[in-house]
Amino acid sequence: MPELPDLTVFAQSLQKLVLNRGIVDAAYLRPKRLNVPPETFRKALVGHRLTEVRRVGKEILFVLDDGACLTVMLMLAGGFAWSRDNELPRSPILTIRFDSQDILSVTDPQSLVMVNLNPDLSGRAPDALEITPALLAKICRSKPRSLVKALLIDQKLIGGIGNAYSDEILWRARIAPHSLAGKLPDAAVEELAHCIVSVLTDATKYLEQHHPGILAGEVRDFLSVHGRSIKSSPTGRPVIVEQIASKRTYYTDEQILYR
């Protein structure tokens, strides 16, 4: 599933393509993952323009000129595609047709993409890039028995981090993924908060530089420990693969276990 760095660059790419273009048609083709009837969705978009596109947690938020909005969560295999009229990509979930005859599609061969028209955006978890040591300490205190790996990927606690970047963050912070959140000492919490922001920021900059314009997929070839082909960390330690918090997790024996 795309995570914060991927989605940030997707949003940047979409901004260049769709902002201020007139919408002449919209269709949701597989309505089981839409929160309103397809015709309601269509009527909300047609005749309007998109004025803002940005990432919110692990979703992309589109804002219309009348204040209406929609969010798209790409789930495991979803992505965006940009095409000309009559050149739809494979497995489209929704399509937005513009007056330029260009089409923005959301695709997903698994049909798991979730789309919400005018969702309630209040009360969401803090974004990962907003995490401070004090805020992270508060989150850890609220879930003292939670594995720190599970805590990082819980979108109700922190928005934007998934399986891949939680492993990268924990490796850089030198914290074992099966540590208990409530057992982390203050120094470890501070380092973890710093690494959340630095790992995600560094990854976003890498994608902006090496993969500008991307609309789909997960670029993971630059990661330090998370990946099936990675056998050792940049420090030369063997990578351990284990199922933790119901996720395939990658870490090394350099990471300290707090229990």
Side-chain angles (χ1 to χ4, degrees), residues 37-122:
E39 186 58 26
T40 301
F41 172 79
R42 180 183 180 278
K43 289 180 179 179
L45 271 66
V46 172
H48 295 284
R49 296 176 182 271
L50 291 168
T51 59
E52 184 180 2
V53 183
R54 60 185 171 91
R55 178 192 60 81
V56 176
K58 291 177 76 174
E59 298 173 281
I60 298 293
L61 171 71
F62 296 86
V63 181
L64 297 165
D65 54 12
D66 64 348
C69 67
L70 64 140
T71 55
V72 177
M73 179 174 281
L74 294 173
M75 304 304 288
L76 293 174
F80 296 97
W82 186 252
S83 60
R84 294 293 293 175
D85 195 16
N86 298 321
E87 296 178 358
L88 286 181
R90 296 179 62 183
S91 306
I93 298 295
L94 73 80
T95 59
I96 301 175
R97 190 183 305 268
F98 297 93
D99 52 13
S100 60
Q101 302 306 311
D102 294 301
I103 300 172
L104 174 66
S105 301
V106 177
T107 66
D108 183 5
Q110 299 181 2
S111 298
L112 296 176
V113 164
M114 297 180 65
V115 178
N116 285 291
L117 179 66
N118 295 322
D120 182 4
L121 298 177
S122 65

Side-chain angles (χ1 to χ4, degrees), residues 10 33 48 54 71 96 122 129 134 151 230 240 254:
F10 292 176
R33 307 285 277 185
H48 295 284
R54 60 185 171 91
T71 55
I96 301 175
S122 65
L129 294 180
L151 182 142
I230 302 175
I240 302 165
E254 304 161 278

Side-chain angles (χ1 to χ4, degrees), residues 125-203:
D127 191 78
L129 294 180
E130 299 172 350
I131 292 296
T132 63
L135 180 53
L136 183 58
K138 181 179 178 181
I139 294 171
C140 288
R141 288 195 300 268
S142 73
K143 298 285 184 179
R145 300 297 300 172
S146 175
L147 300 184
V148 67
K149 163 89 177 192
L151 182 142
L152 288 179
I153 63 177
D154 188 339
Q155 300 305 298
K156 295 180 181 179
L157 300 175
I158 302 173
I161 304 171
N163 190 35
Y165 285 102
S166 63
D167 287 350
E168 295 294 299
I169 290 164
L170 289 169
W171 180 78
R172 189 178 291 188
R174 298 301 193 267
I175 297 172
H178 37 312
S179 297
L180 293 177
K183 294 295 184 179
L184 297 182
D186 292 345
V189 172
E190 183 172 354
E191 180 64 13
L192 181 57
H194 170 75
C195 289
I196 288 172
V197 176
S198 63
V199 166
L200 297 174
T201 300
D202 290 348

